[in-house]
Every structure is written in structure tokens, then in C-alpha cells.
Amino acid sequence: MEAIEELQTLLKKLPGMGGKSAARLSYHLIKTDESYNRALGEAIATIKEKIHPCPICGCYTEHDICTYCSDPSRDRTLLCVVEEPQDVLSIASSESYNGLFHVLGGAIDPLGGVGPDSLTFPELCRRVDEGSFREVIIATNPTEEGDTTALYIRHLLQDKDITLTRLASGLPIGGDLGYADKLTLSRSLRGRIRI
Amino acid sequence: MEAIEELQTLLKKLPGMGGKSAARLSYHLIKTDESYNRALGEAIATIKEKIHPCPICGCYTEHDICTYCSDPSRDRTLLCVVEEPQDVLSIASSESYNGLFHVLGGAIDPLGGVGPDSLTFPELCRRVDEGSFREVIIATNPTEEGDTTALYIRHLLQDKDITLTRLASGLPIGGDLGYADKLTLSRSLRGRIRI
């Protein structure tokens, strides 16, 4: 197989990459700077050996303990529970949260074969028992699986002496009422706030 | 800089790759098979050293001479002139052409700083003089630059004993009259054929 075809075959396996995009990208890489190609190739080839889950919260890190868990300036009375490691970055980059994180590793999805046993609920309970948290914010996705997972966490933690909260659902900022789906509108009505 | 951020910064430099796409892709690479990452990384890092332009036609190849120029079953009386190396693959994969190719390296674009001097017109004239071509098919893009380039080639080759043709412009197959732009419609009217 020619080198270009091999590169295109590999690129086509990336999510959202069709045949035309892979072709365009491969010709871009042939025209671009060689040192960039080497840096990108090296970064892709070695990402999995550099990155591992933080043993405390489960988010991706290069260090023994992740930057969030080891940062003494973060509020250790707040715990935000998310589904995936990338959700940590989304919430951290909103710059509205300064507490700790807990990554479940997914959401309960019986049809998809994900039961509570495959998620990090025991670690969550242990952290709540051993830590000094006063509030646990459930930041699972506003989907059926995320809702089920949130209910399960409420069931697990309801006897502990902590406040349980969930991220607000409603209209996205910059959105348009005309484009909002019925469920989002109904949630934003139920969750309406006094101004 | 953390490895994930570094990977995302590099991915973001790819054409059509925004911040969100780069983030999604980097997390996909962390979850995917390590041997795939190594293969893709290696393919990206080494593509430029494996690939070079064919010294005869200018399309990309790994060999001394490209597969088209060295294929004895191709029709050596037909020459198709294209702008970029990737255009060779597009035309070859249409399976409607069995002749040779010539890559110009771009199209004449005075505003973009591309004059005739930076394209491979001398090589084209030499090949036409020394070869046994009976037809030269101009397959530049149906754009202003492509049209200018086609006119320039006509000017260069008009005194030679060859037929000069240009790819037909018109409605794309599967297209819809209602969505066709005025220029395409006008071209497909001017180029109408008897049925």
C-alpha cells in the first residue's frame, strides 16, 4: 500500500472523518512543515503512555495526582461528580467552580450494558465518608442515562450529612426559544427562577 | 504544558479543526487502541519523507517514477493537465481516463501572487514537444484562476499539432436545478449537447 493510502486509511478511522476529509488532511500534511508533522505524530503516538487516570478523582493526568486534587487552593468541601474525564475540563474551564471532581467513568445505561458495578460509585461513597464535603454537585449529562445516574447517586448519598445538588437544565445562553425542544422548554419552565 | 493540551494545540492547527473538535479527538485518542495511535503517529510523522513529486508528471509518489507514468497499459497519446497532485487521484479514481497526467502546481492567480513562472508550463511544453500526445485535456478547476490557466495553456500550445480540450462544466450529477447557481446554469446551457 502506498504511504498516502495508508495514512488516509488510518485517518478515516478517526471519529467524524470521511473519505474526502481524510484525503484533504493527508494532502495538507504532505504540504505542511515537516517538524509539525513529527511533533503531531509523536504526540499522537505517545499520548496513551503519558496520560493515566488520577488515582483519586479519575480525571486524566500526567502526574501521580492530578492538578485539581493536588491544588491546595481548591475548595475541599465541594465535590462535582461527572461522567467522563473530559467533563472535568469543561467544568473547570467555565471558571465558575473551584472544588474537587469525581469521574464516574460513564452513566448507568442498562440497554448499553453499563450497570452501577462498572462505575466508580464505591470510590465516590468512600471519598464522601472520608472527606469533608458539604456539597456534592451531580453534573451528569441531561440525558436519560445521566438522569438515572443522578437518581442512583441521590439514593446512595441520601443518608449522609451533605447537600446534594444537580446542574440546572434550561435554555442555552444565546439560544432561541423557537429552536428549543419541548423537553428543554418544559425543564426551563419547571426550573424557573424569581428575578 | 500537559500532554493533552499539547496534543490539542497541535491538532487545532489542522485545517477545519476547531477547539471542540480537537478536544473530542484528543479524548478519542486516549481511549482508543495504542497500536492504532502508534501507526497513525508514525504515518503522520514520516509522510513527507516517504512522498515526493514524480519527476515526470509532478504527482505524489513513493517510487522513482509514479505509478501512472510507469504503467505501460496507459494511453501515451492522452495528457491531462491538473492544478494539484491530489487532482490526479480524483481523475484517476473516476475510472473514465486512462492517459497520462501533468501537474501544474497551482493555477495562475495574479492577486494571490502566483504568476505563470511559478507553475510547470516549461515542463508541459517540453513533454508535448517530446511526447506523442494527440490530445491535451485541460482539467483545471472551473474557477476564475482555473479558467485563466486554461486560456494560458491554449495560448502556449495552440501552434502544436494536438487537440486541446477542457473538462465539461455543468450541473453536477444528482444535483437539483433549484440549487444550481446562475453561472453553472449558464455554462450548462452554453455547453448543451444533442440527445
Side-chain angles (χ1 to χ4, degrees):
Chain A
M1 190 158 53
E2 291 254 338
I4 298 186
E5 284 172 45
E6 189 192 334
L7 176 59
Q8 288 181 6
T9 307
L10 289 165
L11 286 171
K12 255 192 281 187
K13 291 186 185 157
L14 293 173
M17 185 77 71
K20 290 262 176 193
S21 311
R24 205 171 305 128
L25 203 51
S26 66
Y27 290 117
H28 171 82
L29 290 168
I30 292 174
K31 283 196 168 177
T32 196
D33 182 36
E34 177 142 21
S35 66
Y36 166 75
N37 285 1
R38 297 219 165 263
L40 177 62
E42 174 74 13
I44 290 175
T46 60
I47 188 70
K48 271 183 86 91
E49 75 186 33
K50 283 184 187 157
I51 294 293
H52 60 91
C54 168
I56 300 177
C57 74
C59 83
Y60 293 130
T61 183
E62 283 182 76
H63 312 290
D64 291 343
I65 307 289
C66 78
T67 48
Y68 306 108
C69 290
S70 59
D71 181 353
S73 75
R74 294 193 82 91
D75 185 345
R76 273 148 207 287
T77 67
L78 279 175
L79 184 65
C80 179
V81 181
V82 296
E83 294 181 14
E84 301 288 348
Q86 54 263 46
D87 299 333
V88 169
L89 205 68
S90 301
I91 291 183
S93 63
S94 77
E95 292 176 6
S96 300
Y97 180 71
N98 190 36
L100 301 183
F101 291 98
H102 186 83
V103 178
L104 293 173
I108 298 174
D109 179 13
L111 294 177
V114 183
D117 294 348
S118 44
L119 304 177
T120 62
F121 292 120
E123 291 82 352
L124 174 63
C125 291
R126 198 177 40 71
R127 288 184 73 188
V128 168
D129 284 339
E130 295 174 0
S132 52
F133 299 111
R134 58 178 170 79
E135 180 176 350
V136 170
I137 303 171
I138 304 174
T140 53
N141 287 326
T143 58
E144 209 167 311
E145 293 79 21
D147 289 351
T148 309
T149 309
L151 280 174
Y152 190 86
I153 296 172
R154 191 178 73 176
H155 167 79
L156 279 179
L157 302 183
Q158 62 191 353
D159 299 330
K160 322 266 182 195
D161 185 26
I162 44 161
T163 309
L164 264 181
T165 55
R166 176 106 203 259
L167 288 193
S169 279
L171 299 170
I173 303 303
D176 184 307
L177 272 185
Y179 288 109
D181 61 294
K182 266 164 60 181
L183 215 60
T184 300
L185 268 178
S186 123
R187 284 242 190 153
S188 71
L189 273 167
R190 279 204 333 248
R192 66 191 181 278
I193 52 172
R194 188 180 292 270
I195 55 165
Chain B
M1 189 158 52
E2 291 254 338
I4 299 186
E5 282 171 47
E6 189 192 335
L7 176 60
Q8 288 180 6
T9 307
L10 288 165
L11 286 172
K12 253 190 283 188
K13 291 185 186 158
L14 293 173
M17 185 77 70
K20 290 260 176 191
S21 310
R24 204 171 306 130
L25 203 51
S26 66
Y27 290 118
H28 171 82
L29 290 168
I30 292 174
K31 283 195 168 178
T32 197
D33 182 37
E34 178 144 20
S35 66
Y36 166 75
N37 286 0
R38 297 220 165 262
L40 177 63
E42 174 74 12
I44 290 175
T46 61
I47 188 68
K48 271 182 86 91
E49 73 187 34
K50 283 186 188 157
I51 295 294
H52 61 91
C54 168
I56 300 178
C57 74
C59 83
Y60 293 132
T61 183
E62 283 182 72
H63 311 290
D64 290 344
I65 307 289
C66 77
T67 48
Y68 306 108
C69 290
S70 58
D71 182 351
S73 74
R74 294 191 84 92
D75 186 346
R76 274 150 206 284
T77 67
L78 279 175
L79 184 65
C80 179
V81 181
V82 296
E83 294 181 14
E84 300 288 348
Q86 54 263 46
D87 299 332
V88 169
L89 206 68
S90 302
I91 289 184
S93 64
S94 76
E95 292 176 6
S96 300
Y97 180 71
N98 191 35
L100 301 182
F101 291 98
H102 187 83
V103 177
L104 293 173
I108 298 174
D109 179 14
L111 294 178
V114 183
D117 293 347
S118 44
L119 305 177
T120 62
F121 292 120
E123 290 82 352
L124 174 63
C125 291
R126 198 176 41 70
R127 288 185 73 190
V128 168
D129 285 338
E130 295 175 1
S132 52
F133 299 112
R134 57 178 171 81
E135 181 176 350
V136 170
I137 304 170
I138 304 175
T140 52
N141 287 326
T143 58
E144 208 166 314
E145 293 79 21
D147 289 350
T148 309
T149 309
L151 280 175
Y152 190 84
I153 295 173
R154 192 178 71 174
H155 169 77
L156 279 180
L157 302 184
Q158 60 190 355
D159 298 329
K160 322 264 181 192
D161 184 25
I162 45 159
T163 310
L164 264 181
T165 56
R166 176 108 202 257
L167 288 193
S169 279
L171 298 170
I173 303 302
D176 186 308
L177 272 185
Y179 289 112
D181 61 295
K182 265 164 59 182
L183 215 58
T184 299
L185 268 179
S186 121
R187 283 242 192 156
S188 71
L189 273 167
R190 278 205 332 250
R192 67 192 179 277
I193 50 171
R194 188 180 291 271
I195 55 165

